[in-house]
Structure formats: structure tokens, C-alpha cells
Amino acid sequence: MSIISKIILLLSIVSMPLSAAVKPVKEVSSERRSAVISQILKKEPSSLLVYTKGLICKSCGIGIRKHIAKIKSVDRSRGKKGVLLDINNQLVQVMVYGEPDTKAVAKAIRDAGYTPVKAYYKSRGKLVVKSL
């Protein structure tokens, strides 16, 4: 892409109204979110999933990853610095070693400007759900 094309693209994005740039996320039913959580934990049992209000676009991941990557129990070799986002279901997936540090992850999400609601993970083969 030429530099002129990049400038034109940047100007079109900057001049776009914010409402057009960010589509609101439609609230997902708790049943659907539970089904998605079950699927993810079946594939990645060493993950912590956090239902996070305010998670509406891929850009949200920048701050969330920055803060979560500082936590010692995060496996930064998986996902993107140890974090994957499911914007459609408002889920933050954190790849962890052993038992997840839900308090540290919740604090990291809050520090990034978002609201962690519930944490989901497996412990000894059983689903654990914690309100944050």
C-alpha cells in the first residue's frame, strides 16, 4: 500500500463518526455464553475465562493484554501474550499455568478500564464459577 493510500485510509477513519467506527455488541444470553465457555474449556482446560463488560472491539485487547501479561501464572507462549478475546461473547480467555489467579486477572482487567463480571475455569475436572 502506498503512503498516499495509507494517508487517505487514515483520514477516512479519523473523520468517521465514532458510532460508525464501533458497533455495539449485542448482549448474549447466559445460555449461549455458557455453551461457548464449555466448548473453550473442553479444548483448553488450562484457561481462565472472564466475562467482561465493556469488551466491544479488538482494540480492547491492547490494554487487557498489557495488564494481564504481567501476571506470573499467565502462559504468554500461547494465544496472544497469553490472552485471547471473544468479542461476540464478551469473554477474555487467559492461558494459565496451574490454578488461575482470578483476583490478579480481575484487577488487571479493571486496570485496563473494563468490568470483569464472572470467572470460569476447571479445577480437578470440575467447572468453577466465581463472581468478580
Side-chain angles (χ1 to χ4, degrees):
M1 184 182 283
S2 72
I3 201 145
I4 292 175
S5 298
K6 289 179 183 177
I7 291 170
I8 291 170
L9 178 62
L10 179 62
L11 289 174
S12 68
I13 292 170
V14 171
S15 65
M16 182 185 313
L18 184 57
S19 60
V22 177
K23 292 180 184 178
V25 172
K26 183 180 176 186
E27 188 60 35
V28 176
S29 71
S30 59
E31 292 83 15
R32 176 180 167 170
R33 188 174 293 114
S34 293
V36 170
I37 289 166
S38 293
Q39 289 174 349
I40 293 171
L41 289 176
K42 188 175 184 178
K43 290 179 187 175
E44 292 283 346
S46 59
S47 293
L48 166 66
L49 293 161
V50 181
Y51 166 44
T52 304
K53 284 191 177 182
L55 186 64
I56 59 169
C57 67
K58 292 181 181 180
S59 297
C60 299
I62 297 168
I64 290 172
R65 280 187 187 95
K66 176 183 165 189
H67 287 85
I68 289 177
K70 297 175 186 176
I71 300 169
K72 290 182 182 181
S73 62
V74 174
D75 181 356
R76 288 176 277 297
S77 69
R78 299 182 334 182
K80 292 184 178 181
K81 295 185 181 179
V83 179
L84 293 174
L85 302 177
D86 180 345
I87 304 302
N88 295 326
N89 295 294
Q90 294 182 298
L91 293 171
V92 174
Q93 180 180 358
V94 183
M95 312 305 183
V96 295
Y97 298 113
E99 285 287 313
D101 187 346
T102 57
K103 288 181 182 181
V105 171
K107 181 181 181 324
I109 291 171
R110 280 189 203 93
D111 290 348
Y114 302 91
T115 306
V117 180
K118 287 191 178 185
Y120 306 83
Y121 61 95
K122 286 201 170 180
S123 179
R124 298 181 182 144
K126 293 186 180 183
L127 178 65
V128 176
V129 179
K130 284 188 175 182
S131 292
L132 302 171

Coordinates of all heavy atoms in Angstrom, one line a residue, residues 30-65:
S30 N -27.1 -15.8 28.6 CA -26.2 -16.6 29.5 C -26.1 -18.1 29.1 O -25.1 -18.7 29.2 CB -26.7 -16.5 31.0 OG -28.0 -17.0 31.1
E31 N -27.2 -18.6 28.4 CA -27.1 -20.0 27.9 C -26.1 -20.1 26.8 O -25.3 -21.0 26.8 CB -28.5 -20.4 27.4 CG -29.5 -20.6 28.5 CD -30.2 -19.2 28.9 OE1 -30.1 -18.2 28.1 OE2 -30.9 -19.2 30.0
R32 N -26.1 -19.1 25.9 CA -25.1 -19.2 24.8 C -23.7 -19.0 25.3 O -22.8 -19.7 24.9 CB -25.4 -18.1 23.8 CG -24.4 -18.1 22.7 CD -24.6 -17.1 21.6 NE -23.3 -17.0 20.9 CZ -23.2 -16.3 19.8 NH1 -24.3 -15.7 19.3 NH2 -22.1 -16.3 19.1
R33 N -23.5 -18.0 26.2 CA -22.2 -17.8 26.8 C -21.7 -19.1 27.5 O -20.6 -19.5 27.4 CB -22.2 -16.6 27.8 CG -20.8 -16.2 28.2 CD -20.8 -15.0 29.1 NE -21.1 -13.8 28.3 CZ -22.2 -13.1 28.5 NH1 -23.1 -13.4 29.4 NH2 -22.5 -12.0 27.7
S34 N -22.6 -19.8 28.3 CA -22.2 -21.0 29.0 C -21.8 -22.1 28.0 O -20.9 -22.8 28.2 CB -23.4 -21.5 29.8 OG -23.7 -20.6 30.9
A35 N -22.5 -22.2 26.9 CA -22.2 -23.2 25.8 C -20.8 -22.9 25.3 O -20.0 -23.8 25.1 CB -23.2 -23.2 24.7
V36 N -20.5 -21.6 25.0 CA -19.2 -21.2 24.4 C -18.1 -21.5 25.5 O -17.1 -22.0 25.1 CB -19.2 -19.7 24.0 CG1 -17.8 -19.2 23.7 CG2 -20.2 -19.5 22.9
I37 N -18.4 -21.2 26.7 CA -17.4 -21.4 27.8 C -17.1 -22.9 27.9 O -15.9 -23.3 28.0 CB -17.9 -20.9 29.1 CG1 -17.9 -19.3 29.1 CG2 -17.1 -21.4 30.3 CD1 -18.6 -18.6 30.2
S38 N -18.1 -23.8 27.8 CA -17.9 -25.2 27.9 C -17.1 -25.7 26.7 O -16.1 -26.5 26.9 CB -19.3 -25.9 27.9 OG -20.0 -25.7 29.0
Q39 N -17.3 -25.2 25.5 CA -16.5 -25.6 24.4 C -15.1 -25.2 24.5 O -14.2 -26.0 24.2 CB -17.1 -25.0 23.1 CG -18.4 -25.5 22.7 CD -19.0 -24.7 21.5 OE1 -18.5 -23.7 21.1 NE2 -20.1 -25.3 20.9
I40 N -14.8 -24.0 24.9 CA -13.5 -23.5 25.1 C -12.7 -24.3 26.1 O -11.6 -24.7 25.9 CB -13.4 -22.0 25.4 CG1 -14.0 -21.2 24.2 CG2 -12.0 -21.5 25.8 CD1 -14.2 -19.7 24.5
L41 N -13.3 -24.5 27.3 CA -12.6 -25.2 28.4 C -12.4 -26.7 28.0 O -11.5 -27.3 28.6 CB -13.4 -25.0 29.7 CG -13.3 -23.6 30.3 CD1 -14.2 -23.6 31.6 CD2 -11.9 -23.2 30.6
K42 N -13.3 -27.2 27.2 CA -13.0 -28.6 26.7 C -11.8 -28.7 25.9 O -11.0 -29.6 26.0 CB -14.3 -29.1 25.9 CG -14.2 -30.5 25.6 CD -15.5 -30.9 24.9 CE -15.5 -32.4 24.6 NZ -16.8 -32.8 24.0
K43 N -11.6 -27.6 25.0 CA -10.4 -27.6 24.1 C -9.1 -27.1 24.9 O -8.0 -27.6 24.6 CB -10.6 -26.7 22.9 CG -11.6 -27.2 21.9 CD -11.8 -26.2 20.8 CE -12.9 -26.6 19.9 NZ -13.2 -25.5 18.9
E44 N -9.3 -26.2 25.8 CA -8.2 -25.5 26.5 C -8.5 -25.6 28.0 O -8.8 -24.5 28.6 CB -8.0 -24.1 26.0 CG -7.6 -23.9 24.6 CD -6.1 -24.2 24.5 OE1 -5.4 -24.2 25.5 OE2 -5.7 -24.3 23.3
P45 N -8.4 -26.7 28.6 CA -8.7 -26.8 30.1 C -7.8 -26.0 31.0 O -8.2 -25.7 32.1 CB -8.6 -28.3 30.4 CG -7.7 -28.9 29.3 CD -7.9 -28.0 28.1
S46 N -6.6 -25.6 30.5 CA -5.8 -24.7 31.4 C -6.0 -23.3 31.0 O -5.0 -22.5 30.9 CB -4.3 -25.2 31.2 OG -3.9 -25.0 29.9
S47 N -7.2 -22.9 30.9 CA -7.6 -21.5 30.6 C -8.5 -21.0 31.7 O -9.2 -21.7 32.3 CB -8.3 -21.4 29.3 OG -7.5 -21.7 28.2
L48 N -8.5 -19.7 31.8 CA -9.4 -18.9 32.7 C -10.2 -18.1 31.7 O -9.6 -17.3 30.9 CB -8.6 -18.1 33.7 CG -9.4 -17.0 34.4 CD1 -10.5 -17.6 35.4 CD2 -8.5 -16.1 35.2
L49 N -11.5 -18.1 31.8 CA -12.4 -17.3 31.0 C -13.0 -16.3 31.9 O -13.5 -16.6 33.0 CB -13.4 -18.1 30.3 CG -12.9 -19.1 29.3 CD1 -13.8 -20.2 28.9 CD2 -12.5 -18.3 28.0
V50 N -13.1 -15.0 31.5 CA -13.7 -14.0 32.3 C -14.7 -13.2 31.4 O -14.3 -12.7 30.4 CB -12.6 -13.0 32.8 CG1 -13.3 -11.9 33.6 CG2 -11.5 -13.7 33.6
Y51 N -15.9 -13.3 31.9 CA -17.0 -12.5 31.2 C -16.7 -11.0 31.6 O -16.6 -10.7 32.8 CB -18.4 -12.9 31.7 CG -19.5 -12.0 31.4 CD1 -19.6 -11.4 30.1 CD2 -20.5 -11.7 32.3 CE1 -20.6 -10.5 29.8 CE2 -21.5 -10.8 32.0 CZ -21.6 -10.2 30.8 OH -22.6 -9.4 30.5
T52 N -16.5 -10.2 30.6 CA -16.0 -8.8 30.8 C -17.0 -7.8 30.1 O -17.0 -7.8 28.9 CB -14.6 -8.7 30.2 OG1 -13.8 -9.7 30.9 CG2 -14.0 -7.3 30.5
K53 N -17.6 -7.0 30.9 CA -18.5 -5.9 30.3 C -17.6 -4.9 29.8 O -16.5 -4.5 30.3 CB -19.4 -5.4 31.4 CG -20.6 -6.2 31.7 CD -21.6 -5.5 32.5 CE -22.8 -6.4 32.8 NZ -23.8 -5.8 33.5
G54 N -18.0 -4.3 28.6 CA -17.2 -3.2 28.0 C -16.3 -3.7 26.9 O -15.7 -3.0 26.2
L55 N -16.2 -5.0 26.8 CA -15.4 -5.7 25.8 C -16.2 -5.6 24.5 O -17.0 -6.5 24.2 CB -15.0 -7.1 26.2 CG -14.0 -7.8 25.3 CD1 -12.6 -7.2 25.4 CD2 -13.9 -9.3 25.8
I56 N -15.9 -4.6 23.6 CA -16.7 -4.5 22.4 C -16.0 -4.5 21.1 O -16.6 -4.5 20.0 CB -17.6 -3.2 22.5 CG1 -16.6 -2.0 22.6 CG2 -18.6 -3.2 23.6 CD1 -17.3 -0.6 22.4
C57 N -14.6 -4.4 21.2 CA -13.9 -4.4 19.9 C -12.5 -5.0 20.1 O -12.0 -5.2 21.3 CB -13.7 -3.0 19.4 SG -12.8 -1.9 20.4
K58 N -11.8 -5.3 19.0 CA -10.5 -5.9 19.1 C -9.4 -5.0 19.8 O -8.5 -5.5 20.4 CB -10.0 -6.4 17.7 CG -10.8 -7.5 17.2 CD -10.3 -7.9 15.8 CE -11.2 -9.0 15.3 NZ -10.8 -9.5 14.0
S59 N -9.7 -3.7 19.7 CA -8.7 -2.8 20.3 C -8.7 -2.9 21.8 O -7.8 -2.5 22.5 CB -9.1 -1.3 19.9 OG -9.0 -1.2 18.5
C60 N -9.8 -3.4 22.4 CA -9.9 -3.6 23.8 C -8.7 -4.5 24.3 O -8.2 -4.4 25.4 CB -11.2 -4.3 24.2 SG -12.7 -3.4 23.8
G61 N -8.3 -5.4 23.4 CA -7.3 -6.4 23.8 C -5.9 -5.8 24.1 O -5.1 -6.3 24.8
I62 N -5.6 -4.6 23.5 CA -4.3 -4.0 23.7 C -4.1 -3.7 25.2 O -3.1 -4.2 25.8 CB -4.2 -2.7 22.9 CG1 -4.3 -3.0 21.4 CG2 -2.9 -1.9 23.3 CD1 -4.5 -1.8 20.6
G63 N -5.0 -3.0 25.9 CA -4.8 -2.7 27.3 C -5.0 -4.0 28.2 O -4.2 -4.1 29.1
I64 N -5.9 -4.8 27.8 CA -6.1 -6.0 28.6 C -4.9 -6.9 28.6 O -4.4 -7.4 29.6 CB -7.4 -6.8 28.1 CG1 -8.6 -6.0 28.5 CG2 -7.4 -8.2 28.7 CD1 -9.9 -6.5 27.9
R65 N -4.3 -7.1 27.4 CA -3.1 -8.0 27.2 C -1.9 -7.3 28.0 O -1.2 -8.1 28.7 CB -2.7 -8.1 25.8 CG -3.5 -9.1 25.1 CD -3.0 -9.4 23.7 NE -3.9 -10.3 23.0 CZ -4.9 -9.9 22.2 NH1 -5.1 -8.6 22.0 NH2 -5.7 -10.7 21.6

